[in-house]
Amino acid sequence: MREAPAQDRGGRSRDAILDTAGELMSRYGYAATSISMISAECGLPASSIYWHFGSKDGIYVAVLERARTALLAALAPPEVPGADVAQRLDAFLAEVEDAFRRHPHGLKLLLGLSMVQADASAAAVAQVHHYRDALVAWAQDALSAVFGLSDRPEVADELARFTLRMASGTAVTRWFEPGAVLETGPLRVALLALAAHHNVLVRGTSGEGALSHD
């Protein structure tokens, strides 16, 4: 059996470093994760880590890029299915809950680490903002479809940012309670209340302010 090409071995080493670094940084934070910790955990020498990424900051940027790509690729298109607001909202929240469940490390890194700005480079901070902007844009489009807000983008923006703040809060909670889950029931109630606050009257839901809009 022939030995794998050096390029393949290098790719596997790079992936192993990123897997380990993502796990450690999501568990302990950027500042507390050292090159020596990553080396000990993944079994590769520090020289290999520096060869692939140049620095801890280079690793963090690569971890963020990979987490962003994986999560955004997993998100459903923003054209949320459903015959009415209730069905579309439930479909949207199911997508958010599923993404939160399947990408716990990426969400902790990208939603719950605003404190990284004190320790990381401009490139790492820019990557965090780039990821958040992409998530906000997806949530804006999805909630615009849920509530029929194509003519009210400012309301869709508020609903999207509220949703991500809830997800971010749960991600931060996971630093202290690893088993914490995103509570989509209260989030559903809150989104309907925010929509009603902006006089977005919806059909297919129950509760105060749930009247016909579409």
Side-chain angles (χ1 to χ4, degrees):
M1 186 176 190
R2 291 189 304 170
E3 186 178 358
Q7 186 175 2
D8 291 345
R9 294 197 304 273
R12 289 197 298 271
S13 295
R14 189 178 190 277
D15 287 342
I17 294 166
L18 289 177
D19 288 342
T20 302
E23 169 72 27
L24 292 174
M25 288 177 177
S26 69
R27 189 189 308 167
Y28 301 114
Y30 173 84
T33 301
S34 66
I35 294 290
S36 61
M37 288 172 62
I38 297 170
S39 174
E41 192 74 17
C42 71
L44 293 168
S47 59
S48 177
I49 296 173
Y50 282 114
W51 187 84
H52 281 289
F53 301 101
S55 66
K56 188 177 82 168
D57 196 69
I59 299 172
Y60 185 62
V61 172
V63 165
L64 291 175
E65 288 175 341
R66 190 169 72 158
R68 174 175 58 84
T69 300
L71 179 56
L72 294 178
L75 292 174
E79 295 79 16
V80 183
D84 54 33
V85 169
Q87 292 181 11
R88 294 193 295 270
L89 183 56
D90 288 341
F92 167 74
L93 291 175
E95 282 295 329
V96 172
E97 184 177 25
D98 184 60
F100 200 93
R101 177 181 55 81
R102 289 191 291 123
H103 299 271
H105 299 321
L107 284 163
K108 283 177 71 174
L109 286 165
L110 294 152
L111 289 173
L113 290 188
S114 59
M115 68 286 288
V116 79
Q117 297 186 29
D119 302 296
S121 71
V125 174
Q127 188 62 225
V128 172
H129 286 298
H130 182 45
Y131 190 173
R132 286 186 175 182
D133 289 345
L135 287 177
V136 168
W138 175 80
Q140 286 171 340
D141 290 343
L143 286 164
S144 180
V146 167
F147 287 99
L149 297 171
S150 58
D151 58 340
R152 302 186 67 185
E154 73 286 353
V155 178
D157 179 70
E158 181 177 342
L159 295 177
R161 292 180 186 277
F162 177 81
T163 299
L164 293 180
R165 282 195 294 270
M166 290 282 289
S168 179
T170 305
V172 171
T173 300
R174 281 185 168 177
W175 287 104
F176 312 101
E177 301 174 23
V181 297
L182 181 63
E183 298 288 349
T184 54
L187 178 55
R188 186 182 194 274
V189 172
L191 288 172
L192 289 171
L194 275 174
H197 174 73
H198 288 287
N199 296 316
V200 177
L201 304 179
V202 299
R203 183 171 59 204
T205 61
S206 60
E208 186 178 358
L211 304 175
S212 177
H213 174 65
D214 51 351

